[in-house]
């Protein structure tokens, strides 16, 4: 290990157990989170809002997985979080007039400062060999653009895997063009999450759009993408304190491994190797039959992890062997590596498979936290005058202002 385990985290300590009062502050940052999962993007927005002295007001959060919404509600109890498909609330085609359902959504949600979403990315992933680049779910990316037409938010963020740019239907370009027609400034970039303060080598494609006069998406994304990686954010920093827990329970429970994988981990621990030799791999992963070298690999305390997926509990799914223990990662460790502090509770997830899926599919909160910091500053929200309870949109010069 590279440093004392007592060394504090540089920013947003992962070991913090007391949840900030995200709903406290004046005024409120009003957000809509589509494909919300367990709430990674919302947590990032909450952290940014809290740092600016603003309250978080989740006007709408949508996901079709009950277990993910249960976790979301447990962590954001005042949020309007709903188990539903995004299409239930935004059911029109891109250029159509607003539907009855969409008019109802617009009325119930009201003014939206930030609209964001992480549409399903499996169809764009290089790990998906069956429907890569040509998956009907890929078009869900366009639903965020449709939601923008319905809600007219001040700022929009859409995140996905870098290969979303190669989608056969051209969803990124179509969304880019539509938002330009709606008078947004739009920019895209691929960002390394490690440089934002996450102990993980993960890259995400980001589309950022703004109607705020003082917010230039291109400059914001240029800043994000130009940040250098910080070696401080390694696995020791993220999970070093979780080694050797006595009688671990819940999401600290170690995953079980097959006898064959135990032998493979014993070899790597004794030899010090990070990669499993070819002759010790399953036959389907030998002799160039598999292109992913990290399969059955061991992590290092001095480095960030590879991209966390829902398979983090098995060394056969990637480089997920613990740096010093004979096991793969626990759910708690994977959540930390994704950037979820300990005050974020996953206890409502009853099934291990559901827990693995929502952690693996989550967007690291740091992405929205860093973008949110720039967005909130540009919004220049002001406390409401006494007796005025709600914000009303004023689009003079493209800036959001209080109705007087």
């Amino acid at each position: 290990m590279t440093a004392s385990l007592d060394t504090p985290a540089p920013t947003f300590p992962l070991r913090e157990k007391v949840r900030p009062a995200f709903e406290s502050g004046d005024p409120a940052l009003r957000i809509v989170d589509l494909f919300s999962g367990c709430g990674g993007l919302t947590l990032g927005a909450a952290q940014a809002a809290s740092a600016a002295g603003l309250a978080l007001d989740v006007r709408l959060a949508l996901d079709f997985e009950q277990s993910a919404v249960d976790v979301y509600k447990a962590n954001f109890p005042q949020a309007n979080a709903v188990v539903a498909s995004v299409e239930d609330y935004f059911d029109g085609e891109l250029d159509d007039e607003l539907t009855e359902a969409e008019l109802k959504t617009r009325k119930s949600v009201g003014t939206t400062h930030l609209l964001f979403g992480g549409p399903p990315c499996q169809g764009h992933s290089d790990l998906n060999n069956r429907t890569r680049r040509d998956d009907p779910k890929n078009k869900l990316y366009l639903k965020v653009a449709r939601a923008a037409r319905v809600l007219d938010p001040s700022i929009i963020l859409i995140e996905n895997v870098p290969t979303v740019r190669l989608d056969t239907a051209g969803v990124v370009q179509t969304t880019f063009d539509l938002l330009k027609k709606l008078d947004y400034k739009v920019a895209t970039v691929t960002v390394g999450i490690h440089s934002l303060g996450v102990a993980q080598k993960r890259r995400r494609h980001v589309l950022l759009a703004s109607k705020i006069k003082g917010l230039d998406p291109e400059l914001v994304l240029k800043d994000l993408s130009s940040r250098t990686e910080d070696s401080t954010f390694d696995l020791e920093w993220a999970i070093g304190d979780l080694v050797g827990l006595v009688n671990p329970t819940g999401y600290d429970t170690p995953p079980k491994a097959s006898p064959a994988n135990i032998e493979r981990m014993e070899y790597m621990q004794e030899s010090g190797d990070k990669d499993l030799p070819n002759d010790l791999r399953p036959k389907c992963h030998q002799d160039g039959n598999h292109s992913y070298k990290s399969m059955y690999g061991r992590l290092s305390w001095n480095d960030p992890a590879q991209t966390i997926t829902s398979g983090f509990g098995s060394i056969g799914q990637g480089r997920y062997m613990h740096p010093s223990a004979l096991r793969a990662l626990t759910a708690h460790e994977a959540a930390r590596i994704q950037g979820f502090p300990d005050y974020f509770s996953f206890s409502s997830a009853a099934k291990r498979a559901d827990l693995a899926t929502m952690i693996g599919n989550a967007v690291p909160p740091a992405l929205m936290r860093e973008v949110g910091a720039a967005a909130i500053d540009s919004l220049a929200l002001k406390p409401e005058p006494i007796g005025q309870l709600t914000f009303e949109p004023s689009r003079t010069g493209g800036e959001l202002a209080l109705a007087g």
Side-chain angles (χ1 to χ4, degrees), residues 96-387:
D96 287 353
E97 293 296 319
L98 269 57
T99 67
E100 183 177 344
E102 290 171 335
L103 289 170
K104 182 178 179 181
T105 299
R106 171 187 274 183
K107 183 177 181 180
S108 64
V109 170
T111 299
T112 304
H113 300 134
L114 288 177
L115 164 69
F116 46 81
C121 63
Q122 288 83 357
H124 305 296
S125 174
D126 282 337
L127 296 177
N128 176 8
N129 292 318
R130 186 170 60 87
T131 59
R132 187 187 303 175
R133 321 285 187 248
D134 189 18
D135 188 319
K137 290 183 180 179
N138 294 357
K139 293 183 180 179
L140 290 173
Y141 191 102
L142 301 174
K143 281 299 176 182
V144 187
R146 180 62 181 180
R149 182 185 286 277
V150 174
L151 300 176
D152 192 27
S154 300
I155 301 164
I156 304 161
L157 180 141
I158 313 175
E159 72 79 41
N160 215 279
V161 294
T163 48
V164 69
R165 306 184 315 270
L166 306 178
D167 173 65
T168 56
V171 292
V172 174
Q173 189 62 51
T174 300
T175 299
F176 189 104
D177 294 341
L178 176 70
L179 294 178
K180 293 283 285 185
K181 287 182 183 178
L182 296 176
D183 297 324
Y184 286 93
K185 292 181 180 178
V186 191
T188 66
V189 77
T190 297
V191 178
I193 297 297
H194 184 221
S195 66
L196 305 183
V198 182
Q200 181 180 175
K201 290 275 190 181
R202 190 186 194 107
R203 295 178 65 76
R204 303 303 288 180
H205 182 269
V206 179
L207 181 149
L208 183 63
S210 167
K211 279 191 175 180
I212 302 301
K213 186 177 181 180
L215 179 64
D216 185 337
E218 188 170 347
L219 292 179
V220 172
L221 295 186
K222 182 179 180 180
D223 170 66
L224 253 64
S225 62
S226 64
R227 296 185 189 184
T228 57
E229 295 185 353
D230 187 341
S231 61
T232 303
F233 300 109
D234 58 16
L235 284 185
E236 182 193 0
W237 167 77
I239 64 172
D241 62 312
L242 300 179
V243 176
L245 291 177
V246 178
N247 298 321
T249 59
Y251 79 154
D252 283 304
T253 304
K256 295 181 179 180
S258 67
N261 279 345
I262 291 175
E263 289 185 11
R264 293 176 179 121
M265 289 188 285
E266 287 176 339
Y267 170 85
M268 285 189 286
Q269 189 178 64
E270 293 171 3
S271 67
D273 290 349
K274 298 295 189 298
D275 297 309
L276 194 66
N278 186 58
D279 63 319
L280 295 182
R281 293 173 177 267
K283 289 184 178 180
C284 61
H285 286 192
Q286 292 181 6
D287 302 321
N289 290 331
H290 207 284
S291 60
Y292 305 115
K293 181 181 179 181
S294 64
M295 297 293 184
Y296 300 96
R298 184 162 65 99
L299 295 161
S300 170
W301 284 119
N302 300 330
D303 296 317
Q306 70 164 63
T307 296
I308 293 295
T309 71
S310 60
F312 62 78
S314 170
I315 65 169
Q317 297 295 312
R319 190 180 302 280
Y320 295 134
M321 179 181 167
H322 189 274
S324 58
L326 284 174
R327 59 172 176 80
L329 296 171
T330 66
H332 191 175
E333 290 165 339
R336 286 267 196 93
I337 294 169
Q338 285 277 57
F340 286 95
D342 284 353
Y343 62 73
F344 194 93
S345 174
F346 290 94
S347 61
S348 64
K351 297 179 180 179
R352 182 181 290 269
D354 290 343
L355 184 60
T357 296
M358 70 179 71
I359 292 175
N361 289 348
V363 182
L367 177 60
M368 190 68 239
R369 183 185 72 217
E370 298 302 304
V371 174
I376 289 169
D377 183 60
S378 299
L379 281 166
L381 298 177
K382 299 177 181 179
E384 297 179 9
I386 296 175

